[in-house]
Amino acid sequence: MSSPSYKKILKLFWGYDEFRGIQLDIIESIDAGHDTLGLMPTGGGKSVTFQVPALARRGTCIVVTPLISLMHDQVSRLRQMGIRATAIHSGMSHASILTELENCILGEYKFLYVSPERLESELFQTKVSHMRVSLITVDEAHCISQWGYDFRPAYLQIARLRDIVPSAPVLALTATATPEVMDDIQRQLHFRPDSQVLRMSFERKNLTYIVRHTPDKFGELLHILRGTSGSAIVYTRNRQQTHEIVSRLADEGISATNYHAALAQIIRDDRQERWHRGEFRVMVATNAFGMGIDKADVRLVVHFEAPDSPEAYFQEAGRAGRDGLPAYAVLLCGGSDNAKLLRRVPETYPKPEYIRDIYEHLCYYFQMAMGDGEGVTREFDLMEFCRSFHYFPVPAHNALILLNNAGYITYTQEGEITSRLRFTVSRDSLYRLNEQSPQREKVIQFLLRHYSGLFADLVYIDESLIAHETALSVD
């Protein structure tokens, strides 16, 4: 298809007259049948590079992406534009997954979003073999690399799609890749000899980067917000801190909401949408907020603390000024920040001996022999585990993540099966409830002794622990 035809699609669905940067170069490379690696900064318009050619080609574009929230965002946006799209994820029933895959075979959808783990399913592979696949897109492609900073083993299975649909070109997209990672991405995805690598300049002339040294981070944040206008994002590493900052901003008359992984998906979606509409000026969030967020008029991104890497900082800061107008990225630095950063490396990547100890104690914790437990699922209380075996929670949690990534265990963090509780009544009303039932009194007293913050926010609880300590059934 010619460039003018692609521009017609761009104008029809996105309302733009011209492509930006290397968008058209990538589209034309795909059109010529080349496997393509596209390096584009955050805000460079990666989604256009596969959505436009997919709309121009017959068949379904399979998009492999690591985040369910990203799937929801993009599928919702495409549907609002009148484009048929769907997503397959772990929250769906077997019947729903089967229906959507059958619809793809019948040509009902132009886009099918999946997680890399879904590719390992025999059902998925069988159904894909009967689809007409126009293009395979791998988003956040650095995850496939053994050199990448967010290694995810299931990404290594993406190459299986090449065997199932060998005629479909592959487009790999990322905002962060060293030369070693670029080579590894192409090798792991079995790029063909005529593949192309296209790079876009990472310079953002409209974005000003500022570092502010201050002993009073909140005071400085307040000063910055009052000195600027427009939508803002404040990043912090601590979930509790997101609540605290929102509360203090509200006291100062600045509308804000918070976002982190422990919030229920429906709450996250609602807060994101309301911030997107402008009902809240400030989004205070952990790094769970960001991927797939397409709000062009963010004027300010403030980091309360430094992220794990320059790549992560560049990606998060790049969410400001996507409309090309002047914007600011501000990093706030305080007294103990350097010490925290230096401590974070050994905490995030514990030594092999430490990880082996965690695995061994995990077997003791569940009272099973090492090597047993395949296919067994158990509820896991990290804090109880750490108390029992004298670990600090942060390095223990990261050791479990590394064991998960290496395939030794499946460690699902804060899954939807975990219950949460909040008291919506006053303390006086709660004491009156106590008097009405001895069993209820036992439960309430245990909750108040062992969980903090129950009157302020939803708190994760363990019914089996409560049942054991109160001599009641879990029900």
Side-chain angles (χ1 to χ4, degrees):
M1 182 177 282
S2 65
S3 296
S5 300
Y6 287 127
K7 286 182 179 179
K8 285 180 182 177
I9 295 173
L10 182 71
K11 180 68 174 177
L12 176 64
F13 291 103
W14 284 268
Y16 299 122
D17 294 313
E18 298 291 339
F19 289 99
R20 286 191 291 159
I22 61 170
Q23 286 177 332
L24 185 58
D25 296 330
I26 292 176
I27 291 167
E28 289 178 338
S29 175
I30 291 296
D31 186 50
H34 300 301
D35 294 333
T36 307
L37 172 58
L39 282 83
M40 303 176 72
T42 300
K46 287 189 292 181
S47 59
V48 166
T49 63
F50 65 87
Q51 288 171 352
V52 168
L55 289 171
R57 298 164 74 94
R58 292 184 62 191
T60 301
C61 172
I62 297 177
V63 185
V64 183
T65 185
L67 291 179
I68 291 178
S69 59
L70 188 68
M71 294 185 200
H72 289 314
D73 292 340
Q74 295 218 359
V75 168
S76 175
R77 199 170 301 124
L78 287 167
R79 288 176 175 175
Q80 289 170 8
M81 294 160 62
I83 298 169
R84 300 189 306 277
T86 190
I88 301 294
H89 54 82
S90 57
M92 299 170 65
S93 67
H94 178 80
S96 298
I97 291 172
L98 193 59
T99 298
E100 295 298 76
L101 292 175
E102 290 288 352
N103 284 335
C104 288
I105 292 172
L106 295 171
E108 292 295 317
Y109 294 114
K110 292 298 292 183
F111 295 93
L112 169 61
Y113 283 77
V114 296
S115 68
E117 287 77 13
R118 181 60 50 187
L119 306 180
E120 299 174 298
S121 159
E122 187 176 339
L123 170 66
F124 182 83
Q125 293 176 17
T126 301
K127 294 300 180 184
V128 167
S129 67
H130 296 288
M131 291 180 198
R132 186 185 184 110
V133 178
S134 61
L135 171 64
I136 299 168
T137 301
V138 183
D139 200 13
E140 306 299 331
H142 56 270
C143 295
I144 199 173
S145 174
Q146 59 184 321
W147 303 94
Y149 62 79
D150 188 23
F151 178 69
R152 194 158 171 176
Y155 262 76
L156 300 177
Q157 308 302 320
I158 298 173
R160 289 186 183 182
L161 287 176
R162 306 237 53 171
D163 300 327
I164 301 170
V165 283
S167 61
V170 173
L171 170 61
L173 295 166
T174 183
T176 52
T178 63
E180 293 88 352
V181 170
M182 289 162 55
D183 291 340
D184 207 29
I185 289 170
Q186 295 174 78
R187 182 166 56 253
Q188 300 287 3
L189 288 176
H190 300 175
F191 268 32
R192 292 177 287 226
D194 63 348
S195 64
Q196 295 195 19
V197 177
L198 298 168
R199 302 176 183 84
M200 184 174 173
S201 171
F202 281 65
E203 183 181 10
R204 296 280 302 281
K205 293 183 179 180
N206 66 309
L207 187 54
T208 301
Y209 295 91
I210 300 169
V211 178
R212 290 275 175 89
H213 294 269
T214 174
D216 178 12
K217 289 189 177 183
F218 182 78
E220 188 63 29
L221 171 64
L222 205 57
H223 173 74
I224 292 167
L225 287 169
R226 284 174 172 163
T228 57
S229 60
S231 192
I233 304 173
V234 177
Y235 280 109
T236 179
R237 295 182 59 84
N238 187 296
R239 293 171 182 173
Q240 184 58 37
Q241 201 171 47
T242 68
H243 295 275
E244 293 169 0
I245 293 173
V246 165
S247 177
R248 294 183 69 181
L249 288 175
D251 291 341
E252 298 292 338
I254 297 174
S255 64
T257 189
N258 70 318
Y259 186 111
H260 54 72
L263 295 170
Q265 185 65 51
I266 190 169
I267 295 174
R268 280 182 278 168
D269 290 345
D270 176 67
R271 291 181 179 180
Q272 179 182 318
E273 180 59 33
R274 293 176 67 189
W275 173 78
H276 201 279
R277 291 199 304 261
E279 292 182 30
F280 298 107
R281 180 190 172 195
V282 182
M283 175 65 80
V284 185
T286 63
N287 61 2
F289 181 78
M291 272 190 176
I293 305 304
D294 188 18
K295 184 169 169 63
D297 61 347
V298 176
R299 301 269 66 84
L300 174 70
V301 171
V302 178
H303 278 81
F304 225 70
E305 296 173 288
D308 286 331
S309 66
E311 292 90 348
Y313 178 76
F314 184 81
Q315 196 162 52
E316 290 168 1
R319 293 178 181 126
R322 292 189 177 191
D323 54 6
L325 298 177
Y328 299 91
V330 183
L331 174 63
L332 301 179
C333 292
S336 62
D337 285 2
N338 284 346
K340 286 180 182 177
L341 281 170
L342 290 172
R343 191 168 64 244
R344 200 176 294 161
V345 175
E347 285 183 345
T348 305
Y349 301 102
K351 292 182 178 179
E353 300 79 25
Y354 181 92
I355 297 171
R356 278 196 290 269
D357 288 344
I358 289 283
Y359 181 80
E360 186 174 340
H361 286 140
L362 201 61
C363 295
Y364 292 152
Y365 183 75
F366 289 121
Q367 297 183 350
M368 60 175 65
M370 292 179 69
D372 286 352
E374 183 176 1
V376 175
T377 301
R378 299 277 181 86
E379 285 193 22
F380 177 69
D381 185 328
L382 176 63
M383 299 309 294
E384 184 188 10
F385 174 78
C386 290
R387 282 194 299 271
S388 300
F389 298 101
H390 309 294
Y391 289 115
F392 289 108
V394 173
H397 166 75
N398 287 319
L400 291 167
I401 290 176
L402 292 170
L403 285 167
N404 176 83
N405 290 348
Y408 291 100
I409 62 172
T410 299
Y411 177 47
T412 304
Q413 306 159 49
E414 296 173 343
E416 295 179 1
I417 61 168
T418 308
S419 299
R420 296 188 295 168
L421 177 74
R422 178 184 179 186
F423 287 133
T424 58
V425 298
S426 67
R427 288 181 184 270
D428 290 342
S429 300
L430 200 60
Y431 291 131
R432 285 197 294 272
L433 283 173
N434 275 350
E435 297 169 357
Q436 298 170 16
S437 164
Q439 288 187 334
R440 185 184 293 154
E441 181 180 5
K442 274 202 239 178
V443 173
I444 292 174
Q445 290 298 331
F446 180 86
L447 289 167
L448 291 173
R449 283 198 306 269
H450 291 83
Y451 297 97
S452 61
L454 285 164
F455 290 91
D457 200 2
L458 287 164
V459 174
Y460 283 95
I461 62 168
D462 181 350
E463 290 113 311
S464 59
L465 175 65
I466 298 167
H468 179 266
E469 295 295 327
T470 58
L472 297 170
S473 70
V474 172
D475 289 339

